[in-house]
Amino acid sequence: MTNPYAEFAASFARLTRSGRHLPLGSIERPERVAPAPDAPVALIFAPHPDDECIIGGLPLRLRQEAAFRVVDVAVTQGSNRERQAARLEELESACAWIGFDLEQTAPNGLERIQPRTRETHAAEWSSSVEVIVESLRRHRPKVVFFPHALDWNGTHVGTHLLVMDALAALPADFTCFVVETEYWGQNPSPNLMVESSEADLAQLLAALSFHAGEVLRNPFHLRMPAWMQDNVRRGAELVGGQGGPAPDFDFATLYRLRRWKDGGLREVLRAGRVLGAGENPSGLFQS
């Protein structure tokens, strides 16, 4: 008997193989309108170069649909010191292509952003926290993006702790929306699913391809569409509600949205929120 799903499964494998022939970087940059000087700011605290693209579904939509200025804060430039300069060059090209501003934290990025550094090297950790505090003070962002506490990778978890410590060090009247991201480890309690259109996904993949040294090592850019499809599966239940109908999305990213206010995280959504491609994302961040 012929399995009717055999060709369906094979088509996915063929598609991924064909993607290996697509260019890495070297893609003509689209024209983009610069944000207004007083545009609201979204900061991405990216543990590594490339994370800004991987979790960039909502930041890209804020840039395009809500006239935000999106700034990628390069927390580290990776742990391989021989690759740090090259990773910065790749990151500069990726951010320029997708329309994100870029800010370095140090000439080669911050080092040893790991939970164990926080536990055993207090002075070093405090110095890194102050770098993030200064970025928050300077930009006064409306929204900040950073990994959730269980994102598995040590630098991702370290970045979560770093930004949380920086927020706690700011004056009590400092407030912003906090969007926790996920990649290596699934967030057990996302409350926001954001759809990406085919065009938006193509932009994220094109920008991600500029991180050539990383995707040659591990072609995660070719598997990102499947990851975003699986986010729709998970988000339909975790965000939309157990047993409810799945939205008619092809691609999405999951987040947890809260607000930093009065020195702590406050809930802002009474129930999970599913944001379709036709809805302006600025409505998520109304004061």
Side-chain angles (χ1 to χ4, degrees), residues 42-56:
L43 297 183
I44 302 173
F45 289 101
H48 304 99
D50 66 30
D51 286 312
E52 79 291 342
C53 297
I54 293 170
I55 62 86

Side-chain angles (χ1 to χ4, degrees), residues 85-96:
R87 292 197 75 174
L88 177 61
E89 291 180 5
E90 293 169 353
L91 178 59
E92 289 171 339
S93 296
C95 286

Side-chain angles (χ1 to χ4, degrees), residues 150-167:
L150 301 176
D151 207 17
W152 181 77
N153 178 282
T155 304
H156 283 232
V157 177
T159 298
H160 172 88
L161 296 170
L162 185 74
V163 178
M164 289 294 292
D165 284 355
L167 288 169

Side-chain angles (χ1 to χ4, degrees), residues 92-105:
E92 289 171 339
S93 296
C95 286
W97 197 93
I98 206 165
F100 295 169
D101 291 356
L102 175 61
E103 180 175 290
Q104 278 186 277
T105 49

Side-chain angles (χ1 to χ4, degrees), residues 74-95:
V75 175
T76 84
Q77 291 169 209
S79 58
N80 183 347
R81 294 188 175 182
E82 294 181 357
R83 277 272 296 146
Q84 286 174 344
R87 292 197 75 174
L88 177 61
E89 291 180 5
E90 293 169 353
L91 178 59
E92 289 171 339
S93 296
C95 286

Side-chain angles (χ1 to χ4, degrees), residues 53-61 64-65 193-204 224 227-228 231-232 248-255 275-278:
C53 297
I54 293 170
I55 62 86
L58 179 54
L60 177 61
R61 290 190 56 185
Q64 295 182 150
E65 301 168 32
M193 175 163 63
V194 177
E195 181 182 17
S196 288
S197 66
E198 292 178 17
D200 285 353
L201 173 59
Q203 291 193 74
L204 293 169
M224 185 166 157
W227 172 68
M228 293 181 75
N231 289 339
V232 177
D248 188 21
F249 295 175
D250 289 315
F251 309 107
T253 309
L254 301 183
Y255 304 97
L275 187 82

